[in-house]
Amino acid sequence: MSYYGPVLAVTAIILLTEILTGRHRGIYRRDDILVIGLCALLNPLVTRSLAGLLIAGAAALLLPQGKGALAHLPLLPSYLVLFLLVEFAFYWGHRWAHEGQRRPALRWLWKIHRTHHAGRYMNVLVTQRVNLFWSFVVPTAWITGFAVYLGQGVAAGLVILTIFWWNLITHSHFRWDDAIRRHPRFGSLFRAVEHLLISPGMHHTHHGYGKDGASYRNYAVTFAFLDWMFGTLHIPDGRPWRYGIPGAQPHWAEEIFYPLVRIPGKAQDEGKAQPPDPTETAVA
């Protein structure tokens, strides 16, 4: 099942809306353009194809008699079980990637994932800001790849579509959930829902630091109850004080090609404390 076309179309619509409403004005540096542009070009054309071949080969090697073995299973239950399995595995893989900031044994995993967090902004282009080797280590690719081999290609495609579209919602600059969360009548109900599903505000928090920023919280893509169960849930009051990674900024080539390229980072201009952006709702 081809999924990249629909995802690309929805991404383009949201991106155009963000651009027309001024959400991308003056936020990019040369390094950002290089990272986003090369990642958006090379990941779909090269990396995902190579990762797909690797996963297909591994499935055939490990399960030589398993090709199409689950094709007889009905679509809806297969989709739901696969979705839950992917979300559970991604939660832990994502959490371990962030724990690599403190655990030397996982440092390599954090450096691969770090690319996605190094942008000092939040919009749909951040979904394209992904290190070229992430597809080789992310549990989503392996689980859905094995599902395709076992005969559940349609279910796997639907899971990928669901996750990608939810990613677009939670990465978008538009924060429709802020007003609902603060509403005197519906706010409490919405916060209850945020114990089950990840909202844009919750994922923005995951990409931020300072007040209402917590990159060590909200690891799930869709199901917030995983964060609730494992003690990593954070429901924000507003936008984070800053987006990105505090401290040294990774070199653009290392962001894209690590571990093949390793270049010492450079100090950020934002290294010193600055007042918050007046367009953001959080207070420093």
Side-chain angles (χ1 to χ4, degrees), residues 248-268:
Q249 180 73 8
H251 190 279
W252 68 267
E254 180 168 309
E255 285 193 65
I256 301 170
F257 299 109
Y258 179 88
L260 293 182
V261 176
R262 306 185 186 202
I263 301 173
K266 57 184 178 180
Q268 291 187 17

Side-chain angles (χ1 to χ4, degrees), residues 73-93:
L73 297 178
L75 177 59
L76 182 58
S78 300
Y79 165 76
L80 294 176
V81 171
L82 185 60
F83 194 7
L84 285 169
L85 179 60
V86 166
E87 281 283 290
F88 180 82
F90 180 85
Y91 170 88
W92 283 105

Side-chain angles (χ1 to χ4, degrees), residues 32-269:
D32 293 313
I33 296 171
L34 284 170
V35 172
I36 294 173
L38 288 174
C39 288
L41 177 66
L42 295 176
N43 268 313
L45 294 180
V46 179
T47 304
R48 288 175 191 149
S49 297
L50 293 176
L53 290 173
L54 174 64
I55 294 167
L61 180 65
L62 296 173
L63 302 170
Q65 307 301 321
K67 188 174 182 179
L70 303 182
H72 64 284
L73 297 178
L75 177 59
L76 182 58
S78 300
Y79 165 76
L80 294 176
V81 171
L82 185 60
F83 194 7
L84 285 169
L85 179 60
V86 166
E87 281 283 290
F88 180 82
F90 180 85
Y91 170 88
W92 283 105
H94 190 195
R95 179 170 176 170
W96 291 335
H98 281 266
E99 289 179 357
Q101 297 176 76
R102 303 185 303 273
R103 296 169 59 181
L106 294 173
R107 185 68 175 172
W108 63 274
L109 186 56
W110 162 246
K111 286 189 174 183
I112 291 175
H113 182 56
R114 175 183 62 181
T115 306
H116 184 61
H117 281 266
R120 297 170 291 271
Y121 42 81
M122 269 297 269
N123 54 53
V124 292
L125 288 183
V126 176
T127 63
Q128 302 299 314
R129 190 182 179 115
V130 179
N131 178 283
L132 297 189
F133 287 88
W134 183 246
S135 292
F136 291 93
V137 299
V138 66
T140 305
W142 285 89
I143 295 173
T144 55
F146 269 69
V148 171
Y149 177 78
L150 293 170
Q152 286 295 329
V154 174
L158 290 174
V159 168
I160 293 171
L161 277 176
T162 305
I163 291 172
F164 274 22
W165 280 339
W166 200 268
N167 260 319
L168 294 178
I169 292 171
T170 58
H171 284 84
S172 170
H173 188 281
F174 301 112
R175 287 283 300 275
W176 48 266
D177 56 317
D178 282 345
I180 302 176
R181 192 180 299 107
R182 293 170 180 160
H183 194 278
R185 181 175 302 174
F186 301 111
S188 297
L189 176 61
F190 189 75
R191 285 176 179 268
V193 171
E194 288 181 306
H195 284 72
L196 304 176
L197 296 173
I198 295 289
S199 67
M202 293 171 70
H203 197 66
H204 278 229
T205 283
H206 176 70
H207 276 260
Y209 62 94
K211 181 177 174 59
D212 254 333
S215 65
Y216 47 88
R217 294 286 186 267
N218 301 345
Y219 295 117
V221 174
T222 309
F223 295 133
F225 65 78
L226 292 171
D227 285 288
W228 190 19
M229 285 172 55
F230 297 115
T232 54
L233 183 74
H234 175 70
I235 298 175
D237 292 319
R239 296 199 180 204
W241 177 57
R242 281 284 183 270
Y243 292 115
I245 302 171
Q249 180 73 8
H251 190 279
W252 68 267
E254 180 168 309
E255 285 193 65
I256 301 170
F257 299 109
Y258 179 88
L260 293 182
V261 176
R262 306 185 186 202
I263 301 173
K266 57 184 178 180
Q268 291 187 17
D269 291 345

